[in-house]
Amino acid sequence: MDFNTDEFFYGINKSLYYKTEEQKNEIKKMDPEYLTRTGTDFVLLPNSPDFINHNEPFEPMYIPKQTILEESLRREIERICFADTLLNKVVFDCADPSPFTKDVDPATYGLEVLPYYIPQSKEDSTLVFESRFESGNLRRAIQICDYEYNLILKPDYYTTMNTQWFYFSLSNTRKDVEYRFNIINMMKPDSLYNSGMKPLMYSEWGAKQKKIGWFRDGHEICYYQNNMKRKNGGFYYTLTFAVKFQYDFDCIYIAHCYPYTFTHLCRYLKQLESDPAKKNRVKRKQLCQTIAGNMCDFLIIGDFNNGKEKKGIVITSRVHPGETMASYVMEYMIDFLTGNTHEARILRENFIFKIVPMLNIDGVVNGNYRCNLAGVDLNRQWIDPNKKQHPTIYHTKQLVKKTKEERDLVLFCDIHGHSRKKNIFMYGCSGKDPNRKELVFPMLNRNNCSVFSFKDCCFLLQKDREGSARIALWRELSIINCYTLEMSFCGADFGKYEYFHFNLDIYKEIAQSFCLSIIDCYEPEQIKVKQVLEEIEQNSLKNQQKDDKNNSGDEGSDYSNDDPKEQAMPQQQQIQLQNNDQQLGSQTKKLKKIPLLPPKKKKGQ
């Protein structure tokens, strides 16, 4: 077999499939409590990908053409009508053994593990898929045409649901060839991919030659209901997109959002502890072990001049593994709080911060979107968490209670991502304060952050969310400022970043604005607090009730964004998007069923 002798052959990243002696020695030196454990039959590759640090440019959302749904349905009908002509070749499965490499010794290639498929020659253009790295999620790839693939995601472990997060690689690309990918077992009835969002991609050759990190790519993107029935009723949904790659024999990573793994967190916390300028401002402590045996830590940040007069703040994130932006915002918050700025010093002098950076470690490791290894949504377990099945929630709740006993606990916030709305916003709880002071902190964030949308905030107590941290802790511990901070997977629909994707720079702004809003909320003069309280008083009770009534579920608002920097969308573009939304909303066609697996060949064929 003919292949390159360097780290890449056919574009396959060989470093994923073996550990160097240096890496093996590094593992021996590690604290065994911080070795990554899956707790499942999911066996990780020897290594996970490393990505360069790169400031991604502000990339605009795309405007879907008005006929995209019709074209997508037409292609699906053609696949049904000409099913006998499809290849239906399984070229990747993360669990089943490979028929292509079962008799091949990995040592032949200098590897410990083999890819599922290895091209037979340079003329073999079959893509080589991989997802057996940390946080990876791709169950199966089926080649249906030369350059078209149906992809099936893994549902969250011990569930049949929650297929939304995806993260995988593909190699052996051909330059300027149009590939099409159809993820055919999505669950949600609508998606931001129909509102201008593009998938994230990363090119190994682009990073090596041009120092380009993650970028947005793809065209002819559409998310629609397909004909495949789910066992519990309803239908699956398809995300389809086409893409042309810039290099031959490249390795491309494709993800729903910027990956942030448990290993990434452990490295970051170790660097934080080792930083001579920061190590005296933060303490790292063990909270508990997860179901899989991974260690969940929490941080205490302050100047550690003891005093019960200091107010307490608890911040958590990553209860939903697929909401990776929450980890980036959390990391930037920690950087700000432990930094050298005047504002950071004020915060450390006046507050004790207790931070749990990753609540659902097992889900993160295994590539889940929402649940833990007990198959439950941990953000519905806060009323009465089980110590064995929900250990991180149980011990975090004890941490919150202890903090409230020790000092005045003035703020709790759980950081999330949102898959169907744009902008940054908060969910809070109303009812305990007749003056509605729960509105103050979100309004301060609106004033400090260019992408924070107060009109998207909601302060309703939804029945199906009573087990969330926001509502359960608000009710039990009477924390007026008890929130979830929600960030769109896509971007903003107002202001200077209108119709641009969020990137890491935006996440940093969100983190810093959140910290500055804490100062505004509790500074002695209360100047900015008084201003927003006056704004609250100026809004009539009638309008508040009307807004609460008209907004349901995830949406709710009492006041609007009064952002002088907000710019209107061009009228022609508005009309085009509105027409597209109407068209994509009328998905009523039903098609003949397409099997998730290729049909089995009859004997003798």
Side-chain angles (χ1 to χ4, degrees):
M1 187 175 290
D2 183 3
F3 61 90
N4 300 333
T5 57
D6 59 10
E7 281 300 293
F8 294 84
F9 67 106
Y10 299 109
I12 300 172
N13 186 350
K14 292 179 69 175
S15 66
L16 297 179
Y17 298 91
Y18 74 96
K19 287 189 181 296
T20 64
E21 289 301 318
E22 183 180 352
Q23 290 171 329
K24 292 177 181 178
N25 293 331
E26 184 180 352
I27 291 175
K28 292 178 182 178
K29 297 176 182 178
M30 288 179 61
D31 186 336
E33 289 184 326
Y34 291 97
L35 293 176
T36 302
R37 300 170 174 88
T38 64
T40 66
D41 56 359
F42 179 42
V43 180
L44 294 174
L45 293 177
N47 282 317
S48 287
D50 281 327
F51 304 110
I52 64 171
N53 292 322
H54 170 260
N55 290 327
E56 177 200 359
F58 289 94
E59 300 194 59
M61 302 176 200
Y62 79 102
I63 300 177
K65 57 183 179 181
Q66 295 183 15
T67 58
I68 186 62
L69 178 60
E70 293 177 2
E71 294 175 8
S72 299
L73 293 173
R74 176 184 54 77
R75 281 191 293 267
E76 189 151 347
I77 292 171
E78 289 175 351
R79 289 194 292 268
I80 295 168
C81 294
F82 301 101
D84 293 341
T85 66
L86 301 180
L87 297 176
N88 277 330
K89 175 183 176 182
V90 176
V91 294
F92 175 75
D93 194 293
C94 73
D96 295 343
S98 170
F100 305 106
T101 59
K102 63 180 180 179
D103 298 324
V104 180
D105 183 0
T108 304
Y109 299 97
L111 307 177
E112 298 173 27
V113 184
L114 288 174
Y116 187 92
Y117 182 85
I118 299 178
Q120 301 303 301
S121 68
K122 287 188 176 181
E123 286 69 41
D124 183 353
S125 61
T126 304
L127 292 179
V128 179
F129 289 84
E130 188 58 82
S131 71
R132 292 172 293 173
F133 37 75
E134 190 178 350
S135 295
N137 187 331
L138 177 65
R139 171 58 202 265
R140 182 175 291 124
I142 304 165
Q143 186 179 21
I144 59 175
C145 299
D146 287 344
Y147 301 108
E148 183 169 3
Y149 296 81
N150 280 349
L151 308 179
I152 301 171
L153 305 180
K154 290 187 303 180
D156 287 3
Y157 271 86
Y158 308 113
T159 78
T160 58
M161 301 173 61
N162 303 310
T163 50
Q164 198 72 22
W165 163 255
F166 55 86
Y167 173 36
F168 58 89
S169 72
L170 53 89
S171 307
N172 198 36
T173 61
R174 296 297 184 271
K175 180 180 178 181
D176 293 333
V177 171
E178 182 169 277
Y179 292 87
R180 180 169 297 279
F181 303 100
N182 312 305
I183 303 177
I184 61 176
N185 65 327
M186 302 293 255
M187 301 290 290
K188 293 194 175 184
D190 196 12
S191 171
L192 288 167
Y193 288 107
N194 281 342
S195 299
M197 180 173 162
K198 293 182 179 181
L200 269 165
M201 301 188 191
Y202 182 98
S203 162
E204 291 277 8
W205 277 114
K208 184 176 181 180
Q209 295 187 358
K210 297 184 178 180
K211 306 300 180 184
I212 296 174
W214 287 95
F215 59 93
R216 302 277 178 174
D217 204 357
H219 56 276
E220 295 186 1
I221 303 168
C222 188
Y223 187 98
Y224 61 93
Q225 177 184 298
N226 61 37
N227 72 302
M228 296 186 303
K229 288 186 177 181
R230 294 166 50 191
K231 289 183 179 179
N232 297 328
F235 291 83
Y236 286 102
Y237 292 79
T238 293
L239 168 63
T240 182
F241 58 93
V243 62
K244 289 185 178 181
F245 302 120
Q246 297 183 21
Y247 303 97
D248 287 323
F249 304 107
D250 197 1
C251 178
I252 302 289
Y253 297 87
I254 303 178
H256 188 45
C257 191
Y258 302 93
Y260 192 110
T261 63
F262 177 52
T263 299
H264 182 146
L265 175 65
C266 290
R267 288 174 179 169
Y268 170 72
L269 294 181
K270 189 174 181 180
Q271 291 172 359
L272 189 69
E273 289 180 300
S274 304
D275 189 326
K278 295 183 176 183
K279 63 181 181 181
N280 294 325
R281 301 166 184 168
V282 60
K283 293 180 181 178
R284 179 181 179 182
K285 295 191 174 184
Q286 294 179 346
L287 182 70
C288 65
Q289 282 191 336
T290 66
I291 293 175
N294 291 303
M295 186 58 67
C296 179
D297 289 350
F298 74 99
L299 304 178
I300 303 175
I301 297 176
D303 64 3
F304 302 110
N305 294 328
N306 292 328
K308 290 191 176 181
E309 72 282 356
K310 290 186 178 180
K311 301 180 186 301
I313 294 176
V314 178
I315 308 174
T316 61
S317 75
R318 211 64 186 283
V319 70
H320 293 148
E323 296 167 5
T324 56
M325 69 283 280
S327 285
Y328 284 100
V329 172
M330 177 65 86
E331 182 175 311
Y332 293 139
M333 281 187 185
I334 295 169
D335 284 342
F336 187 91
L337 293 171
T338 57
N340 297 321
T341 65
H342 175 66
E343 291 82 2
R345 182 176 57 80
I346 291 175
L347 288 167
R348 292 194 299 270
E349 288 175 350
N350 291 276
F351 299 92
I352 293 293
F353 291 86
K354 294 186 179 179
I355 293 174
V356 186
M358 192 172 283
L359 284 168
N360 195 343
I361 294 170
D362 296 345
V364 170
V365 171
N366 284 281
N368 283 9
Y369 174 63
R370 196 170 183 89
C371 297
N372 76 336
L373 290 190
V376 299
D377 181 348
L378 290 178
N379 201 35
R380 298 295 182 268
Q381 313 303 321
W382 286 86
I383 295 175
D384 186 24
N386 183 288
K387 191 174 182 179
K388 291 185 177 180
Q389 293 186 325
H390 327 122
T392 59
I393 304 303
Y394 175 88
H395 287 282
T396 300
K397 187 173 182 180
Q398 297 304 310
L399 178 69
V400 175
K401 286 182 174 180
K402 185 178 179 182
T403 303
K404 186 171 177 59
E405 291 170 0
E406 295 173 345
R407 62 189 71 252
D408 183 12
L409 180 56
V410 296
L411 175 65
F412 173 89
C413 188
D414 190 24
I415 307 175
H416 286 256
H418 205 286
S419 64
R420 287 194 272 179
K421 292 174 68 173
K422 292 179 180 176
N423 306 319
I424 311 300
F425 48 94
M426 281 181 169
Y427 294 152
C429 303
S430 61
K432 290 185 182 292
D433 190 327
N435 297 319
R436 302 210 69 181
K437 289 184 179 179
E438 70 276 0
L439 306 182
V440 171
F441 188 67
M443 293 177 79
L444 292 171
N445 274 272
R446 176 202 64 185
N447 295 342
N448 288 324
C449 182
S450 64
V451 291
F452 191 96
S453 170
F454 190 77
K455 69 181 177 62
D456 287 312
C457 294
C458 177
F459 301 91
L460 302 177
L461 304 179
Q462 303 95 328
K463 184 72 175 175
D464 63 338
R465 289 166 177 77
E466 289 184 342
S468 67
R470 166 177 62 100
I471 297 178
L473 296 179
W474 174 83
R475 278 192 170 141
E476 185 173 341
L477 302 179
S478 297
I479 307 170
I480 297 297
N481 291 324
C482 203
Y483 306 103
T484 58
L485 176 64
E486 299 278 353
M487 293 168 289
S488 173
F489 277 91
C490 185
D493 62 12
F494 75 99
K496 65 179 181 179
Y497 296 116
E498 181 181 14
Y499 296 103
F500 282 89
H501 288 91
F502 287 158
N503 60 16
L504 299 186
D505 289 338
I506 293 291
Y507 297 156
K508 184 176 290 186
E509 179 187 339
I510 294 165
Q512 293 175 352
S513 299
F514 185 94
C515 295
L516 294 175
S517 298
I518 296 174
I519 295 177
D520 292 343
C521 195
Y522 297 103
E523 57 92 11
E525 300 283 326
Q526 293 282 281
I527 296 173
K528 295 184 179 179
V529 170
K530 290 176 182 177
Q531 291 173 352
V532 297
L533 285 173
E534 288 177 4
E535 185 179 344
I536 292 171
E537 290 176 1
Q538 291 170 1
N539 289 274
S540 67
L541 179 62
K542 181 179 178 179
N543 288 336
Q544 293 175 25
Q545 292 173 338
K546 182 180 178 181
D547 287 342
D548 284 344
K549 184 177 180 181
N550 290 338
N551 288 280
S552 60
D554 284 344
E555 299 179 346
S557 174
D558 296 290
Y559 306 96
S560 63
N561 271 297
D562 296 323
D563 188 347
K565 295 174 288 185
E566 183 172 346
Q567 298 176 356
M569 188 182 190
Q571 186 175 6
Q572 184 179 3
Q573 190 177 6
Q574 252 181 356
I575 293 171
Q576 189 169 359
L577 279 178
Q578 288 170 0
N579 291 339
N580 186 72
D581 289 342
Q582 291 172 2
Q583 184 182 18
L584 292 175
S586 59
Q587 300 176 8
T588 57
K589 297 183 181 181
K590 294 185 179 179
L591 307 173
K592 185 179 176 182
K593 182 174 180 180
I594 300 175
L596 282 174
L597 297 175
K600 294 183 178 179
K601 292 185 178 180
K602 296 180 181 179
K603 291 183 179 180
Q605 287 186 338

